[in-house]
Amino acid sequence: MTAHTPVADRAAEAARAAAPCERGATVWLTGLPSAGKTTLAFALAERLRHEGHKVEVLDGDEIREFLSKGLGFSREDRHTNVTRIGFVAEKLAANGVKVLAPVIAPFADSRAAVRERHAAAGTEFLEIHVATPVELCAERDVKGLYAKQAAGELSGLTGVDDPYEAPTTPELRIQTQGRAVAESAAELHAFLTERGLA
Ligand SMILES: Nc1ncnc2c1ncn2[C@@H]1O[C@H](COP(=O)(O)OS(=O)(=O)O)[C@@H](OP(=O)(O)O)[C@H]1O
Ligand SMILES: Nc1ncnc2c1ncn2[C@@H]1O[C@H](COP(=O)(O)OP(=O)(O)O)[C@@H](O)[C@H]1O
């Protein structure tokens, strides 16, 4: 390492040298409502905790009750929500926590802002696209949002009458169609292992 190595590069180098249990990272699970983000985040969190990792799940729903209370689903509010979560995630990840963020984050520029904040601090950021087709999400309809939208009781539902800009180059794209939860969770865990994080 030379005296000219940028701070971010030195931090990333130190992070790579740390043991998997000590290395923090933000694992952002983006996808449509009912895609499987929350289910996979909690399944992965349980496994990582058993392995001795420090883990925090920043769940979109929970965050909206406190940190983002009062925000709605306009483009601007979603951007604020996502960048706030990104801010907290980076702080935790920089301190050795595996942060799992099952948050829709529908706009590419919001996700890019979070990625840039991590890069500037030399903190690892992994974007996982939970790529479940909207037809299957609508069938699952865990919270009844798709039915409400179809009945005209709700508008601005991501992927239906509000945009979802799917990531073009995520670190991982995961399919859940025709796969058991355990299978998809194992795929995600294997990916983290490959990256030296699990
Ligand atoms: N209009 C509309 N569009 C999308 N989602 C909606 C909407 N209204 C409520 N919800 C529910 O809000 C949950 C949390 O959303 P997020 O904070 O992840 O969304 S965002 O990233 O700020 O866009 C999100 O949770 P998940 O189902 O876990 O994705 C939805 O259930
Ligand atoms: N392979 C899979 N991975 C994740 N979820 C799955 C899978 N197969 C079926 N599901 C089901 O899909 C639903 C996803 O809901 P949830 O995790 O709340 O989605 P989201 O957080 O993206 O809104 C759950 O009922 C879950 O059991």
Side-chain angles (χ1 to χ4, degrees), residues 35-48:
K37 306 180 296 296
T38 312
T39 303
L40 291 176
F42 282 103
L44 181 64
E46 196 185 340
R47 185 156 173 194
L48 291 174

Side-chain angles (χ1 to χ4, degrees), residues 37-38 61 64 73 78 81-82 103-106 143 145 156 158:
K37 306 180 296 296
T38 312
D61 282 332
R64 278 177 172 277
F73 291 92
R78 289 181 195 259
N81 179 45
V82 166
V103 180
I104 300 173
K143 295 174 191 158
L145 297 174
T158 302

